[in-house]
Amino acid sequence: MSKEIIVSGIRPTGNLHLGNYLGAVNNFIKMQYEHHCYFFIADYHSLTTHPNPADLHNNVKQVLVEYLACGLDPESCTLYIQSDLPQIPELYMMLNMHANLGELERVASFKDKARTQPNNINAGLLTYPVLMAADIIIHKATKVPVGKDQEQHLEMARTFGNRFNRVYQKEIFPEPFAFNYGNELIKIPGLQGGGKMSKSDGDGNVINLIDTPEVIRKKMSKAVTDAGATEPNTLPTVPVQNLFDIMKLVSTQDKLKHYQDLYASCSIRYGDFKKDLAEDMIVYLQPIREKISDIQQNENLLKKVARIGKEKASESANKTLKECREAIGFRSF
Ligand code: TYM
């Protein structure tokens, strides 16, 4: 199998949750041994919401710790912090010159944010997909392991890379595609009955990788279901289907079938169902949670990983940026 170039990142907004893990990080771990992988912490992206400087540093550190605890191996992949690479904002600026206001305003994530945070519709938010394209194409990636919510951003990355090639008549960038081993991209639902698992809907909506068994049991006991099936063999309602979707990924197929059969015969007891799912989540996440607390103490390891990652990622980024500068017509005297 020929090796491809893989890029992906996560914004540092606190602890990683089960959606980040099942939608993205799980694939990072598999891909790192098969391809040339660049995984990073997207701290420039998090600036759209103006984090307080002390929080930003801690959040970056936390994602680095959690990446390592999940099994990212800095010997096998390149693991770095986005703001360690000034090449990325330089490429972002170049791509911005060919990004149209109309196409940026039509992006679903922008429209969504403009609606939910009307007092902070900044230019960084508008050009967020351009920065994301720069992250991806700076290493000439062809595959990007992400969850379903990032699909449109990948389409934009292809658009901006292709446009640059066309404008400057050079084949610099290949097309990057969202990737989940040939399967549909994943969307892990939240616990509050609708939408995706996301911190922006509050901590009760997410299961964090660091949540203790007690916290997981408590959150799951509050997870939204419905009033109970009354007609046999009907399709589950959205909140119940959401819990089945999570069970599909963390429990055995036999257990999933057991509860699906109980649902179909209108005899499911949601209390038991949620308790059982909570116990499986606890078992699933326990090895990661244990490693998080070990790695958190190891400042030397974190420093070393960030330094080596910066060196390796810069080497690749410098090569691409040199081609872009030449294509544009920047020459030294
Ligand atoms: P972010 O930080 O919101 O999420 C990081 C990754 O986790 C996935 N994810 C989910 N997958 C399934 N179900 C969920 N509920 C769920 N919640 C989050 C996301 O799809 C993503 O893969 N813009 C990106 C970060 C980024 C990036 C990049 C990603 C910046 N530059 C370049 C890939 C390549 C973001 O905000 O993801």
Side-chain angles (χ1 to χ4, degrees):
M1 184 178 61
S2 69
K3 289 196 171 189
E4 295 194 58
I5 297 178
I6 314 301
V7 170
S8 198
I10 296 188
R11 276 171 308 137
T13 52
N15 303 298
L16 299 189
H17 55 70
L18 196 62
N20 297 132
Y21 184 76
L22 294 169
V25 183
N26 203 14
N27 279 342
F28 298 0
I29 298 158
K30 289 190 229 159
M31 296 180 92
Q32 65 183 340
Y33 300 115
E34 301 166 358
H35 297 286
H36 296 295
C37 292
Y38 295 87
F39 298 126
F40 64 96
I41 300 164
D43 52 353
Y44 281 137
H45 282 273
S46 67
L47 297 186
T48 55
T49 51
H50 314 148
N52 134 358
D55 290 346
L56 181 61
H57 178 73
N58 287 335
N59 287 343
V60 169
K61 179 179 166 194
Q62 190 61 23
V63 180
L64 186 57
V65 167
E66 295 192 12
Y67 267 163
L68 294 169
C70 289
L72 280 194
D73 172 7
E75 308 261 320
S76 302
C77 65
T78 299
L79 182 50
Y80 61 99
I81 296 158
Q82 186 188 30
S83 64
D84 274 341
L85 262 68
Q87 298 89 342
I88 295 173
E90 187 172 342
L91 179 57
Y92 162 61
M93 184 270 297
M94 292 171 178
L95 298 176
N96 264 329
M97 303 303 165
H98 301 286
N100 304 318
L101 179 60
E103 67 187 337
L104 294 173
E105 282 175 334
R106 282 194 296 276
V107 175
S109 59
F110 175 72
K111 289 201 284 195
D112 200 39
K113 287 273 159 37
R115 193 173 41 80
T116 53
Q117 51 182 71
N119 297 326
N120 182 25
I121 311 178
N122 58 60
L125 206 56
L126 181 71
T127 57
Y128 187 103
V130 189
L131 179 55
M132 194 162 151
D135 291 326
I136 295 169
I137 68 179
I138 192 101
H139 301 299
K140 304 195 179 191
T142 48
K143 289 196 163 69
V144 185
V146 281
K148 180 99 184 129
D149 57 328
Q150 300 297 319
E151 211 164 26
Q152 192 183 19
H153 290 155
L154 262 294
E155 193 183 321
M156 306 286 292
R158 289 192 289 281
T159 301
F160 296 132
N162 283 333
R163 195 172 293 161
F164 192 96
N165 290 346
R166 201 172 56 246
V167 168
Y168 297 108
Q169 301 278 302
K170 291 257 166 23
E171 276 305 305
I172 298 181
F173 301 116
E175 288 194 316
F177 288 90
F179 182 78
N180 180 24
Y181 283 95
N183 302 317
E184 270 279 297
L185 298 182
I186 288 179
K187 177 190 143 192
I188 301 296
L191 303 181
Q192 283 158 354
K196 64 168 183 170
M197 184 172 284
S198 160
K199 281 207 176 332
S200 47
D201 296 320
D203 198 51
N205 196 38
V206 304
I207 298 288
N208 294 303
L209 304 188
I210 55 150
D211 283 347
T212 59
E214 296 68 46
V215 170
I216 294 179
R217 287 186 190 115
K218 196 161 165 207
K219 284 181 178 175
M220 284 307 297
S221 71
K222 293 188 181 154
V224 174
T225 51
D226 59 21
T230 45
E231 290 269 325
N233 299 317
T234 48
L235 284 178
T237 55
V238 172
V240 175
Q241 183 57 47
N242 285 349
L243 297 180
F244 280 138
D245 286 348
I246 300 178
M247 185 171 251
K248 206 177 287 169
L249 294 162
V250 300
S251 304
T252 62
Q253 294 315 298
D254 286 351
K255 186 177 285 183
L256 174 67
K257 181 156 185 322
H258 169 71
Y259 283 107
Q260 283 172 331
D261 289 347
L262 287 177
Y263 186 88
S265 59
C266 302
S267 45
I268 191 165
R269 291 161 59 127
Y270 289 135
D272 296 345
F273 171 49
K274 292 196 293 182
K275 262 192 204 146
D276 218 354
L277 179 53
E279 293 310 312
D280 285 348
M281 285 175 170
I282 292 166
V283 170
Y284 190 81
L285 293 177
Q286 186 181 355
I288 300 177
R289 192 164 49 85
E290 284 171 1
K291 280 192 209 129
I292 293 175
S293 45
D294 284 352
I295 297 170
Q296 234 154 8
Q297 316 302 325
N298 197 340
E299 293 282 341
N300 284 341
L301 171 72
L302 299 177
K303 260 191 209 152
K304 187 172 157 206
V305 168
R307 179 177 52 75
I308 295 176
K310 176 180 174 180
E311 280 166 20
K312 289 204 278 181
S314 295
E315 201 183 313
S316 151
N318 282 337
K319 274 193 208 145
T320 309
L321 204 55
K322 184 164 180 286
E323 286 180 66
C324 296
R325 293 179 69 95
E326 279 171 12
I328 287 179
F330 291 139
R331 312 256 152 81
S332 30
F333 287 92

